[in-house]
Amino acid sequence: MHSLTQDDVMYSHKDNNDSILQLPKLSRGVKNNKHKTYQKNERSIQRTLHKAIETRTISVRVKDVCEAAQISSPTFYLHYRSIDAALFEYENKLERKYLEVLPKDLNRELRFTLLLNFMRKYHRYFAACIEGRNFYLMVKLVQLTRPNLAQTKINQKAYIIYMATIIGILVCFGRLEKFDDKIILEYAKRLASLRIMDYGL
Protein backbone atom coordinates (compact mmCIF):
# COMPACT_ATOMS: atom_id res chain seq x y z
CA MET A 1 0.00 0.00 0.00
CA HIS A 2 1.25 3.44 -0.87
CA SER A 3 2.43 5.43 2.14
CA LEU A 4 1.10 8.97 2.17
CA THR A 5 3.57 11.82 2.57
CA GLN A 6 3.35 15.56 3.09
CA ASP A 7 3.70 15.95 -0.68
CA ASP A 8 0.43 14.06 -1.17
CA VAL A 9 -1.52 17.07 0.10
CA MET A 10 0.17 19.38 -2.40
CA TYR A 11 -2.49 19.46 -5.06
CA SER A 12 -1.23 20.20 -8.54
CA HIS A 13 -2.93 21.44 -11.67
CA LYS A 14 -4.33 18.57 -13.68
CA ASP A 15 -4.25 18.42 -17.43
CA ASN A 16 -7.60 18.17 -19.15
CA ASN A 17 -8.89 18.22 -22.69
CA ASP A 18 -10.27 21.74 -22.33
CA SER A 19 -7.04 23.50 -21.64
CA ILE A 20 -3.49 22.51 -21.49
CA LEU A 21 -1.57 20.02 -23.51
CA GLN A 22 -0.82 21.80 -26.76
CA LEU A 23 2.65 21.83 -28.20
CA PRO A 24 4.29 25.27 -28.24
CA LYS A 25 4.01 26.90 -31.64
CA LEU A 26 6.84 28.52 -33.50
CA SER A 27 6.78 32.29 -33.51
CA ARG A 28 8.85 35.13 -34.83
CA GLY A 29 7.70 37.44 -32.07
CA VAL A 30 9.79 39.23 -29.47
CA LYS A 31 11.07 36.93 -26.72
CA ASN A 32 13.07 39.48 -24.74
CA ASN A 33 11.11 39.99 -21.50
CA LYS A 34 12.50 43.53 -21.23
CA HIS A 35 11.10 44.53 -24.60
CA LYS A 36 8.08 46.87 -24.49
CA THR A 37 6.00 44.65 -26.77
CA TYR A 38 6.72 41.58 -24.66
CA GLN A 39 5.82 43.43 -21.46
CA LYS A 40 2.63 44.79 -23.04
CA ASN A 41 1.54 41.30 -24.10
CA GLU A 42 2.42 39.91 -20.68
CA ARG A 43 0.20 42.52 -19.01
CA SER A 44 -2.62 41.61 -21.39
CA ILE A 45 -2.27 37.93 -20.54
CA GLN A 46 -2.23 38.65 -16.80
CA ARG A 47 -5.29 40.92 -17.06
CA THR A 48 -7.15 38.25 -18.98
CA LEU A 49 -6.28 35.58 -16.43
CA HIS A 50 -7.37 37.92 -13.66
CA LYS A 51 -10.74 38.51 -15.36
CA ALA A 52 -11.16 34.78 -15.93
CA ILE A 53 -10.47 34.13 -12.25
CA GLU A 54 -12.95 36.83 -11.24
CA THR A 55 -15.63 34.91 -13.14
CA ARG A 56 -14.45 31.67 -11.50
CA THR A 57 -13.03 30.29 -14.73
CA ILE A 58 -9.77 28.60 -13.79
CA SER A 59 -10.05 26.07 -16.64
CA VAL A 60 -9.73 28.78 -19.28
CA ARG A 61 -8.28 27.72 -22.65
CA VAL A 62 -5.40 29.23 -24.61
CA LYS A 63 -7.86 30.23 -27.32
CA ASP A 64 -9.99 32.11 -24.78
CA VAL A 65 -6.99 34.02 -23.41
CA CYS A 66 -5.76 34.95 -26.88
CA GLU A 67 -9.16 36.22 -27.98
CA ALA A 68 -9.72 38.26 -24.82
CA ALA A 69 -6.15 39.63 -24.75
CA GLN A 70 -6.23 40.27 -28.51
CA ILE A 71 -3.01 38.38 -29.14
CA SER A 72 -2.15 35.43 -31.37
CA SER A 73 -1.55 31.95 -29.98
CA PRO A 74 2.14 32.04 -31.06
CA THR A 75 2.50 35.22 -29.00
CA PHE A 76 0.98 33.48 -25.98
CA TYR A 77 3.45 30.60 -26.36
CA LEU A 78 6.33 33.05 -26.29
CA HIS A 79 5.32 33.71 -22.69
CA TYR A 80 4.04 30.35 -21.45
CA ARG A 81 4.03 26.73 -22.58
CA SER A 82 0.44 26.25 -21.40
CA ILE A 83 -2.44 27.78 -19.47
CA ASP A 84 -1.33 25.78 -16.45
CA ALA A 85 2.09 27.44 -16.65
CA ALA A 86 0.45 30.87 -16.83
CA LEU A 87 -1.81 30.13 -13.85
CA PHE A 88 1.16 28.70 -11.97
CA GLU A 89 3.04 31.97 -12.46
CA TYR A 90 -0.05 33.91 -11.37
CA GLU A 91 -0.14 31.85 -8.17
CA ASN A 92 3.60 32.30 -7.65
CA LYS A 93 3.07 36.06 -7.70
CA LEU A 94 0.35 35.75 -5.06
CA GLU A 95 2.65 33.57 -2.96
CA ARG A 96 5.43 36.17 -3.16
CA LYS A 97 2.97 38.89 -2.14
CA TYR A 98 1.95 36.82 0.88
CA LEU A 99 5.57 36.36 1.93
CA GLU A 100 6.06 40.12 1.75
CA VAL A 101 3.38 40.71 4.40
CA LEU A 102 4.22 37.73 6.64
CA PRO A 103 6.67 38.63 9.43
CA LYS A 104 8.55 35.75 11.01
CA ASP A 105 8.08 36.78 14.64
CA LEU A 106 4.27 36.68 14.88
CA ASN A 107 2.44 34.19 17.05
CA ARG A 108 0.25 31.53 15.46
CA GLU A 109 -3.05 33.40 15.83
CA LEU A 110 -1.72 36.57 14.22
CA ARG A 111 -0.21 34.57 11.36
CA PHE A 112 -3.58 32.96 10.65
CA THR A 113 -5.18 36.40 10.89
CA LEU A 114 -2.83 37.58 8.14
CA LEU A 115 -3.69 34.53 6.04
CA LEU A 116 -7.43 35.15 6.34
CA ASN A 117 -7.00 38.84 5.52
CA PHE A 118 -4.90 37.88 2.49
CA MET A 119 -7.63 35.52 1.31
CA ARG A 120 -10.19 38.27 1.76
CA LYS A 121 -8.07 40.72 -0.25
CA TYR A 122 -7.81 38.24 -3.13
CA HIS A 123 -11.22 36.72 -2.54
CA ARG A 124 -12.08 36.40 -6.24
CA TYR A 125 -9.11 34.12 -6.83
CA PHE A 126 -9.77 32.01 -3.74
CA ALA A 127 -13.50 31.83 -4.51
CA ALA A 128 -12.59 30.47 -7.95
CA CYS A 129 -10.23 27.94 -6.36
CA ILE A 130 -12.85 26.79 -3.89
CA GLU A 131 -15.42 26.50 -6.66
CA GLY A 132 -13.00 24.46 -8.77
CA ARG A 133 -11.62 22.48 -5.78
CA ASN A 134 -8.11 23.65 -6.58
CA PHE A 135 -6.33 23.97 -3.22
CA TYR A 136 -2.76 24.13 -4.52
CA LEU A 137 -1.97 27.67 -3.36
CA MET A 138 -4.04 27.43 -0.19
CA VAL A 139 -1.94 24.48 0.97
CA LYS A 140 1.28 26.34 0.17
CA LEU A 141 0.12 29.42 2.11
CA VAL A 142 -0.80 27.30 5.13
CA GLN A 143 2.66 25.75 5.03
CA LEU A 144 4.19 29.23 4.95
CA THR A 145 1.95 30.25 7.84
CA ARG A 146 3.14 27.23 9.86
CA PRO A 147 6.81 26.93 8.75
CA ASN A 148 7.82 24.93 11.84
CA LEU A 149 5.80 21.97 10.60
CA ALA A 150 8.44 21.20 7.99
CA GLN A 151 11.21 21.31 10.60
CA THR A 152 9.81 18.75 13.01
CA LYS A 153 9.24 15.02 12.79
CA ILE A 154 5.54 14.53 12.23
CA ASN A 155 3.37 11.48 11.81
CA GLN A 156 2.48 11.72 8.12
CA LYS A 157 -1.13 10.64 8.51
CA ALA A 158 -1.65 13.08 11.38
CA TYR A 159 -0.12 15.83 9.23
CA ILE A 160 -2.51 15.13 6.35
CA ILE A 161 -5.52 15.15 8.69
CA TYR A 162 -4.32 18.44 10.22
CA MET A 163 -3.86 20.09 6.80
CA ALA A 164 -7.20 18.79 5.54
CA THR A 165 -8.91 20.24 8.62
CA ILE A 166 -7.33 23.66 8.09
CA ILE A 167 -8.21 23.68 4.39
CA GLY A 168 -11.77 22.69 5.29
CA ILE A 169 -12.06 25.64 7.68
CA LEU A 170 -10.64 28.00 5.05
CA VAL A 171 -13.17 26.70 2.54
CA CYS A 172 -15.97 27.42 5.06
CA PHE A 173 -14.57 30.93 5.53
CA GLY A 174 -14.76 31.51 1.78
CA ARG A 175 -17.83 29.61 0.69
CA LEU A 176 -20.13 29.98 3.69
CA GLU A 177 -18.89 33.20 5.30
CA LYS A 178 -18.09 34.96 1.98
CA PHE A 179 -14.70 36.10 3.33
CA ASP A 180 -16.45 38.30 5.90
CA ASP A 181 -13.87 40.47 7.70
CA LYS A 182 -16.05 40.62 10.82
CA ILE A 183 -15.33 36.98 11.67
CA ILE A 184 -11.65 36.83 10.74
CA LEU A 185 -10.50 36.99 14.38
CA GLU A 186 -12.91 34.22 15.34
CA TYR A 187 -11.63 32.00 12.54
CA ALA A 188 -7.99 32.84 13.32
CA LYS A 189 -8.47 31.70 16.93
CA ARG A 190 -10.11 28.50 15.74
CA LEU A 191 -7.27 27.77 13.31
CA ALA A 192 -4.57 28.61 15.87
CA SER A 193 -6.13 26.24 18.40
CA LEU A 194 -5.80 23.22 16.12
CA ARG A 195 -3.03 20.77 16.99
CA ILE A 196 -1.52 17.88 15.11
CA MET A 197 -2.71 14.74 16.84
CA ASP A 198 -1.93 11.06 16.51
CA TYR A 199 -5.27 9.50 15.63
CA GLY A 200 -3.88 5.99 15.88
CA LEU A 201 -4.06 5.42 12.13
Side-chain angles (χ1 to χ4, degrees), residues 40-147:
K40 174 180 174 291
N41 290 332
E42 176 64 20
R43 288 193 296 270
S44 295
I45 292 171
Q46 290 297 316
R47 280 197 302 269
T48 302
L49 288 174
H50 185 74
K51 289 180 180 178
I53 287 169
E54 285 187 345
T55 57
R56 301 188 179 187
T57 310
I58 288 231
S59 58
V60 63
R61 299 174 300 175
V62 170
K63 179 182 177 182
D64 300 328
V65 172
C66 292
E67 289 178 356
Q70 297 183 338
I71 60 175
S72 65
S73 56
T75 297
F76 174 88
Y77 286 116
L78 279 173
H79 294 251
Y80 301 103
R81 291 181 63 86
S82 66
I83 286 295
D84 270 358
L87 287 169
F88 186 72
E89 177 57 26
Y90 185 93
E91 291 175 331
N92 278 342
K93 289 180 179 178
L94 285 181
E95 182 182 348
R96 291 193 293 269
K97 287 180 180 179
Y98 183 64
L99 280 171
E100 290 173 0
V101 300
L102 184 64
K104 296 180 179 180
D105 56 350
L106 292 181
N107 64 42
R108 189 180 304 177
E109 185 176 328
L110 288 177
R111 292 174 77 87
F112 276 117
T113 300
L114 276 175
L115 174 59
L116 292 165
N117 274 303
F118 187 83
M119 289 182 64
R120 181 176 181 275
K121 181 176 181 179
Y122 297 99
H123 63 276
R124 289 187 177 90
Y125 164 80
F126 288 105
C129 287
I130 291 170
E131 185 74 16
R133 298 181 182 180
N134 171 17
F135 307 119
Y136 171 78
L137 184 61
M138 290 173 66
V139 170
K140 290 195 75 174
L141 296 186
V142 170
Q143 291 175 330
L144 291 173
T145 305
R146 293 292 317 277

Side-chain angles (χ1 to χ4, degrees), residues 165-184:
T165 303
I166 287 185
I167 296 301
I169 292 174
L170 293 178
V171 168
C172 289
F173 173 67
R175 174 171 287 174
L176 303 180
E177 311 291 358
K178 308 301 182 185
F179 305 95
D180 187 354
D181 62 335
K182 297 183 182 64
I183 58 171
I184 283 179

Side-chain angles (χ1 to χ4, degrees), residues 7-15 84 133-136:
D7 292 335
D8 289 324
V9 300
M10 290 296 295
Y11 299 90
S12 61
H13 297 295
K14 295 182 179 178
D15 298 327
D84 270 358
R133 298 181 182 180
N134 171 17
F135 307 119
Y136 171 78

